Amino acid sequence: MGNPHILVVPFPAQGHAIPLMELSQILIKHGIKITFVNTEFNHKRITNALGKEPEGQVRLVSIPDGIGAEGNRNHLGKFTEACWKFMPGELKQLIEKINQTDDDEITCVLADMTMGLGVEVAAELGIKRAALWPAATLLLALILNIPKLIDDGVIDENGTPLKHEMIRLSPDTLTMNPSNFMWATIEDFTTQKIILDCMQKNNIAIEKAEWLLCNSTYNLEAGAFALVPKALPIGPLSELDILGNLEVNFWAEDGSCLKWLNLQPPRSVIYVAFGSFTILNPTQFQELALGLELSNKPFLWVVRPDIIEGKDDAYPEGFHNRVADRGRMVGWAPQRVVLSHPSIACFISHCGWNSTMEGLSNGVPFLCWPYFGDQFLNESYICDIWKVGLKFEKDESEIIRGEEIKSKVEKLLSDENFKARALELKEKTIDNIKEGGSSEQNLKSFIEWVKS
Ligand code: UDP
């Protein structure tokens, strides 16, 4: 009998590849062989960003996503549909090929929980299967409750909210505005419906998973874990190996900002990053630049090459000269390391779940700028429940103005309670991955099962 060999199947997006790779890196250290499946399209992006073929211990392979060279991968609905149609066949072929050529057959599939199709393929082939949920566990509970939400008349069968009052799934979870439900924030109706249907299909598929792992912790989400008893926290994943080279970046990482951070005073720098999807319109981009300028503090700002809607550049005139001695812009930062740097004072964030966990695990207070999907839910955790951040207010034209940015930065940084709570939450959260912590114990049991 060969060694345990896991096929890891992320949803093809940056915020999904990262936590699955973080977990892969840990499993490798426990002597488990990993083959990590990207789409061909993303594999090219990763090698372009690295400037070479990845050469880490995790073996990267790729399969087509069924979209074709010219297809539109930004249409979330069509993209998800294509994944469900094409990937099961591709995955089966891949497993057969590996099993014929590799000394160690695939013994387990670890799928992103949004890729229940990977779980189904493993079940069909009679191999072990587990799934990792890369977002808040409360979102998982919400999605598993879609049939009940429809029965209760909270949403219709297309996912459109019918009730406009706040709801909660249990007395121990936060209240949610149905119009901020993840699928309802996707503007176009067809996409919303496709996504809702795929989620329901996925709910059935993941019933076949033997393990449901979550990048979260009991102290952060006790109420949500009570609603999904099978789900087990193993987070915060980013802290298990913060310096590990993940080799799944879609953009070239600019590590030079770490040297720049070394030169800044402790707790002085505003870190600004919106993850991998968010796009700002030129006016909003300009107001953000003005806000950073007005705040009169050092800042490190991730300006992804594709972040401005329809344009390459929307900086206010003379901006670069005026902030030259205290502002630093990069295309893609080593975010996990940046957030652990003592110079960081606060995090202006779109509140993606990975960013949320990474900020929390480093005791960094937040200024929240959610954009779509689950980001409103995460904002609510940060500001209303954990109280480690503040929300920005938009004006009547739906723009967050420079003055608002300046004033919230001042408010957050002048109130020591935010930092104190953030540090307390960091300690409690990190304790979970220490020897004997609940995440550590869950991960240990999972590894034993993989090896058994
Ligand atoms: N990230 C990074 N460098 C950047 C911006 C983001 O490494 O300059 C990483 C970040 O650490 C996180 C991921 O990209 O792990 C973004 O995931 P998140 O869930 O926050 O947002 P999404 O991109 O899915 O909207």
Side-chain angles (χ1 to χ4, degrees):
M1 170 124 168
N3 298 306
H5 185 177
I6 302 184
L7 190 76
V8 176
V9 187
F11 180 79
Q14 182 73 88
H16 293 249
I18 289 177
L20 278 142
M21 183 54 93
E22 285 169 341
L23 179 53
S24 299
Q25 300 279 6
I26 305 307
L27 297 173
I28 282 264
K29 289 202 182 120
H30 285 86
I32 296 166
K33 191 161 170 176
I34 304 284
T35 298
F36 192 95
V37 188
N38 287 304
T39 60
E40 284 169 359
F41 184 82
N42 286 345
H43 186 83
K44 266 196 208 112
R45 294 183 71 177
I46 291 165
T47 44
N48 284 344
L50 267 180
K52 58 178 185 187
E53 280 295 324
E55 42 197 37
Q57 282 181 297
V58 171
R59 176 169 64 167
L60 300 185
V61 296
S62 58
I63 56 175
D65 56 15
I67 299 276
E70 303 302 320
N72 180 3
R73 287 175 177 79
N74 294 327
H75 193 289
L76 195 59
K78 287 194 184 131
F79 184 60
T80 311
E81 239 174 2
C83 287
W84 277 86
K85 200 161 160 201
F86 288 96
M87 284 202 181
E90 295 292 341
L91 282 174
K92 265 186 230 162
Q93 274 182 31
L94 176 68
I95 294 173
E96 274 162 24
K97 195 170 121 204
I98 294 174
N99 288 352
Q100 280 163 9
T101 51
D102 201 295
D103 291 342
D104 303 306
E105 289 195 359
I106 299 292
T107 54
C108 177
V109 170
L110 169 63
D112 192 315
M113 221 182 286
T114 63
M115 292 285 273
L117 60 98
V119 172
E120 270 181 350
V121 166
E124 253 178 65
L125 299 178
I127 46 183
K128 288 180 176 180
R129 56 252 171 214
L132 175 72
W133 181 247
T137 305
L138 184 58
L139 179 65
L140 175 62
L142 182 73
I143 293 172
L144 291 172
N145 266 290
I146 289 172
K148 185 169 184 315
L149 294 171
I150 296 174
D151 282 350
D152 293 350
V154 178
I155 54 172
D156 68 14
E157 65 279 5
N158 300 319
T160 305
L162 299 174
K163 288 194 178 158
H164 295 284
E165 69 256 33
M166 303 290 277
I167 69 127
R168 61 166 92 209
L169 295 178
S170 84
D172 299 323
T173 54
L174 56 76
T175 54
M176 291 179 269
N177 180 346
S179 56
N180 282 343
F181 283 167
M182 190 229 168
W183 53 87
T185 62
I186 300 166
E187 268 169 41
D188 105 60
F189 175 76
T190 321
T191 310
Q192 171 187 307
K193 182 155 172 43
I194 297 174
I195 297 288
L196 198 86
D197 289 347
C198 282
M199 282 175 172
Q200 303 224 61
K201 201 156 52 167
N202 198 67
N203 283 349
I204 295 166
I206 61 172
E207 280 173 14
K208 299 191 184 112
E210 293 158 277
W211 289 73
L212 298 184
L213 305 170
C214 296
N215 183 17
S216 185
T217 61
Y218 285 127
N219 71 300
L220 293 173
E221 294 204 276
F225 280 107
L227 291 173
V228 195
K230 193 175 163 187
L232 298 174
I234 55 165
L237 285 173
S238 58
E239 300 313 297
L240 289 168
D241 180 21
I242 193 167
L243 294 174
N245 187 355
L246 295 180
E247 297 201 321
V248 282
N249 282 327
F250 291 4
W251 292 269
E253 192 175 87
D254 183 346
S256 67
C257 58
L258 296 174
K259 281 200 191 112
W260 178 85
L261 277 178
N262 289 340
L263 303 174
Q264 309 307 317
R267 277 169 61 184
S268 66
V269 177
I270 308 169
Y271 174 58
V272 190
F274 297 96
S276 58
F277 269 112
T278 303
I279 290 170
L280 302 176
N281 72 43
T283 313
Q284 184 59 85
F285 182 88
Q286 213 166 62
E287 287 294 328
L288 172 55
L290 286 173
L292 292 172
E293 188 179 343
L294 284 170
S295 72
N296 218 11
K297 293 191 146 298
F299 62 86
L300 173 60
W301 181 11
V302 178
V303 183
R304 270 190 356 257
D306 55 353
I307 200 167
I308 311 171
E309 196 177 359
K311 277 178 117 178
D312 292 335
D313 183 349
Y315 290 104
E317 216 178 305
F319 176 76
H320 290 281
N321 283 340
R322 294 195 299 275
V323 301
D325 60 341
R326 63 185 173 87
R328 180 87 193 217
M329 276 75 77
V330 292
W332 189 251
Q335 177 165 304
R336 303 180 316 157
V337 187
V338 165
L339 285 168
S340 70
H341 197 284
S343 296
I344 297 296
C346 65
F347 184 8
I348 296 186
S349 171
H350 74 310
C351 307
W353 185 249
N354 295 299
S355 296
T356 302
M357 288 299 282
E358 291 159 11
L360 274 188
S361 309
N362 287 292
V364 179
F366 288 84
L367 288 165
C368 297
W369 191 315
Y371 173 74
F372 89 122
D374 61 340
Q375 297 155 12
F376 298 96
L377 188 159
N378 303 339
E379 174 192 54
S380 185
Y381 263 141
I382 292 169
C383 300
D384 306 331
I385 305 295
W386 306 323
K387 302 194 185 331
V388 293
L390 291 171
K391 301 177 188 181
F392 284 123
E393 303 296 333
K394 291 182 173 162
D395 73 358
E396 59 287 350
S397 41
E398 292 291 299
I399 296 289
I400 299 172
R401 294 288 166 193
E403 280 295 340
E404 163 70 2
I405 295 166
K406 168 183 187 265
S407 118
K408 287 287 158 69
V409 167
E410 276 168 8
K411 192 166 173 199
L412 186 82
L413 297 185
S414 63
D415 184 346
E416 272 298 315
N417 291 317
F418 283 105
K419 184 67 184 176
R421 279 192 295 266
L423 287 174
E424 198 184 319
L425 197 59
K426 163 191 164 164
E427 290 310 323
K428 285 194 182 141
T429 304
I430 294 290
D431 277 350
N432 290 286
I433 52 170
K434 291 189 182 150
E435 182 80 44
S438 51
S439 291
E440 191 257 357
Q441 295 288 314
N442 289 335
L443 191 54
K444 210 187 226 168
S445 310
F446 174 66
I447 291 169
E448 278 164 17
W449 172 80
V450 171
K451 290 181 168 180
S452 68

